[in-house]
Each structure stands twice: as structure tokens, then as C-alpha cells.
Amino acid sequence: MLTEDRSLCGRVGSYRGPTRQKRTGNVNTNRRCDGVTRREILRAGAITALGLTVTDWLRLRGLAGQTHGRVRKATAKRCILVWLDGGPSHLDTFDLKPSAPQEVRGPFGPIETNVAGVHVCEHLPRTARLLDKVALVRSVTSTLGEHNFGSHYLLTGYKPTNVLEYPSYGAVAAGLDGTGHLLPRYVAVPDYNPYAGAGFLPAASRPFAVGGDPAAPDFRVRDFDPYPGVDGGRLSRRKEFLEAFDRFRTAAEAQGEQNADPDFEQAWRLIASSEAKKAFDLAAEPAMVRERYGPRTLGQSCLLARRLIQAGVPFVTVTDRGWDTHEALVNRLKEGYTGGLVGKIPTLDLAYSALLADLDERGLLDETLVVLMGEFGRTPKINTAGGRDHWPRVFSVLLAGGGVRGGQVVGSSDSRGESPRERPVLPEDLARTIYTLLGIDPDHQLQTPDGRPVAVNRGTQVIQELLV
């Protein structure tokens, strides 16, 4: 018998989100069923680009940087994680069941892909033409059907506990990357799920959040440039900063570089560097390229991710909210509440296919791991509100590039998309595979603030079918 996890929304616990708010007219497509919005996540502790002072951020990063913990060979030099926040429906995207009853198979039909015998949703035509570059894992399985628990599990490879918050993939990669880089080692576009953060690692391992909407005409990275209307107090502080830097520079030249503060000097380079600003400058992209990714936030965020990894950032997370489809599934996933094909699935199709094709054409895909996933799937039965509820028992994850063998399906779900039928894959297995592809030793011991050793990944197996 099917058991829905909808009752877990807003569940009380150490990972509970803000209190759910009442509906007031217009639908907020970025709000999950537990009431969490992008704005609230930023308030909850996600830092902006310079949320820590840049000097503090770089100093902390220096303390956190480690060169050990890496295996000798990495097939992926960089990673882009596209996080579909809210739980995308596997039954309406990458694991359709056209022979199941109507209430299971849903409103969308399947289409062929360029991999024989493999079908995806009819609203993913561009992705279908690129599936030979993708490994589709259809048998990921979890026991955690609440947003925050599920997010922690999928973004870290560890089940959440009451005593320790584990670091995300990007945070581990940043913490083991060492120092000496101008650009941050882990960037979030436009922001990030709280469980994509540093966990118990030092604050410098947090993602460097862009903050603004890359699709906005006036997009800018927060604090990279002064905003119009900056008050006199802020201008004075900036002037004091410049004067302090001039004094530091004079003293450093007089006394020798051994007395200089490298963190302060690097902070200044980040703020003043035209190279750093260029990496974040979407306006430098030709109009045809921007159009290829689509005009909405997800597409422009994926384009910015490509620019960042091309500039040397090794880990970028792109977060797309709005996949929590308890009701009006067709409106949310296909039509975007405005009619036409502007919903979550067509938008994803445009952005994801453009990202894969663009990376491939630039010779970057072979060394760039692209992961597409959310925290769980959706129920194998459409509810009375025309949506699907939480379903962690089986769902799909896509991996491409970076040493992944494309053009294959790993595992499968049963005839109703309810449970794994063959080759169940745990989030721990997925994490071990991602770390292995990135050249990070999954058995490396990280240190908690109180000195407790914790392995990057614990007691699981690499998904060998994925490896080239």
C-alpha cells in the first residue's frame, strides 16, 4: 500500500524550517510546503558574496585549506551541481510509467531519446537529444521524506543527526583545495540550500553566494560594486579602507614582503580585480549564448556556472526552487501558471541541455562533472489536489561529464515508480562516487571543531557502472 510523506511537511525537529505561512492570493512558486522561501534561507544564515568580510573569509579559508585528502587521479577537475529544490517528480521527468494507471502515470507522455530504448518526458526534447552524454540513475532510494532531512542526506551523503551537521560536497572540495586562489573555490548561484553549506567545517568552506538574480537586467554580484544611493557612512568606511590599504602597502614595501598580511592583500585583489569581476560578468556573453540558455533564472544561473568553472572555480552549485508540487502539477511543471511551455520542466530542459552542449563544445565536459538532483521524488499517485506528495523510496539522479559513462540507465524502479526494482543506490553510494570522480579520498578523515575525526564518506560503495 502506498504511504504518502506529505504529513512530514513542517515536521518538528532540529532541521525544521520556518513556520508555514498562510496563503494570501498569488502563488509563490519558490516556496516549499514547509514555508521556506529564498529570502528566508538567506536570512537563515547563508552568506552573500561578501557576507563575511572578505579579509575574514580569506583568512578562515587559509586556516581551513588542506592539500591532503585527495586521491592521485581525478577524472573531474570541477563540478556543477544543479539542485532542484523541493523534490522533482521522477514520474513526470525521467522515469515515466506510460503503462501504469492514469493516476500513476500522470499527464505527460514519454518521448524517445538518442539512447535506444530510453524515454523521458515529452517536455524534455533537448535533453532527450543529449542523453548519450548522461548517466540516468533511476533507483536512488532514501528513507527521509522531509525537505530538510532529505536535503541534508542528498547534499552530504550522511543522514542528519541531532549532534552534527555534515559538510556538503562543495564545502569538502573547498576545504581540501588549499589556498592561493583569487576566485572562491565554492560558489552558489544565486544562493543555496542551507544543507549545501560547510556543516562542521570552518566558515571559509561555505559557498560564496552570488545573491542577485542572474536573469535580472541589473544583475550584479552583491558588494562587488557600490550601489546607487550609498550613504555617507558607507562611503567613509570605504575611504578608510583605501587609506588603510595605502598605509599597509607603503609599510610592506619598506619592511619587506615577510611582514605583509597575505590575506588582506588577497582581499583587496578580489575586490579590485577586473579578472574576478569578469568571471561574474554575464553581460560579456554574446546575446545568442544567453538566449540559448533561456531568459529565466535557472538558465542564466547555469550560464554563470559555466563562466565560473571556465575561470577556475572548481565547484559551483546552481539552485532552482519550486519543485514542491503538492498541487496543480500541470501548472507548475508545464505551464508556469501563465500558459504555454514556461513551467519548471521546459525551463530545466532549456537550461540543462544548453549547459551540457556548451561545456562539450568548449572541451570542458570531459573534465567537468555535472550532477542534477533534488532531495527526493514524488508519490506514485496523483492526489486530490492534482499534485504529488513527498516520496523518497525511489527517485532519479542524472550525472554527466567528468569521467561518467554516458548513454546508460543505472537501476530501475518498479512498474508504478514506487520502489527500486533493481540496483538500489543509496545517497551514500552517490556521495562516494562523486568524491571519487573529483579525486577526493572518500575515506579521508575530516576534523570537527572539537577534534573528532569524521570520514568524508562512510561505509559505502562506488557506483562502478558510472565510471569510464
Side-chain angles (χ1 to χ4, degrees), residues 63-266:
L63 293 173
Q66 305 174 67
T67 56
H68 56 289
R70 294 208 170 245
V71 294
R72 289 187 176 181
K73 183 179 179 181
T75 52
K77 294 182 179 179
R78 57 194 75 88
C79 179
I80 297 173
L81 170 59
V82 182
W83 177 254
L84 306 183
D85 192 84
S89 171
H90 57 297
L91 289 159
D92 298 298
T93 53
F94 299 105
D95 193 10
L96 280 73
K97 303 295 179 182
S99 299
Q102 176 63 40
E103 69 270 16
V104 173
R105 69 175 183 262
F108 307 140
I111 57 171
E112 294 182 348
T113 69
N114 65 352
V115 177
V118 180
H119 297 75
V120 296
C121 172
E122 62 183 311
H123 302 304
L124 291 164
R126 295 173 179 84
T127 300
R129 294 192 289 270
L130 293 170
L131 215 69
D132 60 322
K133 303 182 184 304
V134 177
L136 172 53
V137 184
R138 283 179 168 164
S139 55
V140 182
T141 182
S142 166
T143 57
L144 302 180
E146 189 272 339
H147 290 294
N148 294 321
F149 290 174
S151 295
H152 186 286
Y153 198 11
L154 267 293
L155 287 165
T156 70
Y158 273 94
K159 289 184 177 179
T161 71
N162 290 326
V163 296
L164 193 64
E165 186 178 319
Y166 293 90
S168 65
Y169 303 125
V172 172
L176 296 177
D177 191 76
T179 59
H181 305 280
L182 174 62
L183 289 167
R185 314 316 294 152
Y186 177 22
V187 177
V189 185
D191 49 47
Y192 60 98
N193 183 295
Y195 305 105
F200 61 73
L201 292 180
S205 296
R206 294 176 185 170
F208 191 87
V210 168
D213 180 356
D218 58 349
F219 166 68
R220 69 179 75 207
V221 178
R222 197 168 296 171
D223 290 338
F224 259 31
D225 297 294
Y227 285 84
V230 173
D231 61 31
R234 187 169 182 182
L235 286 174
S236 296
R237 289 193 297 273
R238 290 185 179 220
K239 184 174 184 296
E240 291 170 3
F241 181 87
L242 291 170
E243 291 172 348
F245 180 79
D246 289 339
R247 291 194 298 271
F248 157 79
R249 176 71 79 177
T250 300
E253 291 173 352
Q255 299 177 21
E257 289 298 318
Q258 68 273 16
N259 292 326
D261 181 344
D263 291 324
F264 184 84
E265 194 163 2
Q266 192 172 15

Side-chain angles (χ1 to χ4, degrees), residues 191-408:
D191 49 47
Y192 60 98
N193 183 295
Y195 305 105
F200 61 73
L201 292 180
S205 296
R206 294 176 185 170
F208 191 87
V210 168
D213 180 356
D218 58 349
F219 166 68
R220 69 179 75 207
V221 178
R222 197 168 296 171
D223 290 338
F224 259 31
D225 297 294
Y227 285 84
V230 173
D231 61 31
R234 187 169 182 182
L235 286 174
S236 296
R237 289 193 297 273
R238 290 185 179 220
K239 184 174 184 296
E240 291 170 3
F241 181 87
L242 291 170
E243 291 172 348
F245 180 79
D246 289 339
R247 291 194 298 271
F248 157 79
R249 176 71 79 177
T250 300
E253 291 173 352
Q255 299 177 21
E257 289 298 318
Q258 68 273 16
N259 292 326
D261 181 344
D263 291 324
F264 184 84
E265 194 163 2
Q266 192 172 15
W268 175 255
R269 287 202 303 270
L270 181 60
I271 292 173
S273 169
S274 58
E275 178 186 350
K277 290 182 179 180
K278 182 179 178 181
F280 289 90
D281 184 12
L282 279 177
E285 289 288 338
M288 290 182 60
V289 174
R290 299 199 68 172
E291 291 171 3
R292 182 183 192 182
Y293 280 81
R296 290 177 282 280
T297 301
L298 176 59
Q300 297 303 301
S301 294
C302 286
L303 175 54
L304 181 55
R306 190 269 290 163
R307 287 186 63 84
L308 289 170
I309 64 100
Q310 193 172 17
V313 175
F315 203 104
V316 180
T317 293
V318 173
T319 299
D320 184 44
R321 295 192 167 81
W323 291 90
D324 194 19
T325 50
H326 286 289
E327 58 187 29
L329 180 147
V330 173
N331 288 339
R332 179 72 64 88
L333 297 185
K334 176 188 173 183
E335 299 171 356
Y337 294 98
T338 62
L341 292 174
V342 295
K344 303 302 293 183
I345 295 177
T347 298
L348 173 64
D349 183 47
L350 194 60
Y352 180 65
S353 62
L355 177 62
L356 294 185
D358 198 3
L359 288 170
D360 189 43
E361 292 162 8
R362 294 172 187 271
L364 296 170
L365 186 59
D366 287 343
E367 296 180 342
T368 304
L369 175 64
V370 181
V371 181
L372 177 71
M373 66 177 179
E375 61 263 44
F376 42 63
R378 313 301 294 192
T379 49
K381 183 178 180 180
I382 293 180
N383 62 31
T384 57
R388 299 186 192 265
D389 301 313
H390 302 181
W391 194 259
R393 192 182 300 174
V394 69
F395 53 102
S396 301
V397 170
L398 281 67
L399 300 96
V404 170
R405 189 187 303 277
Q408 64 166 325

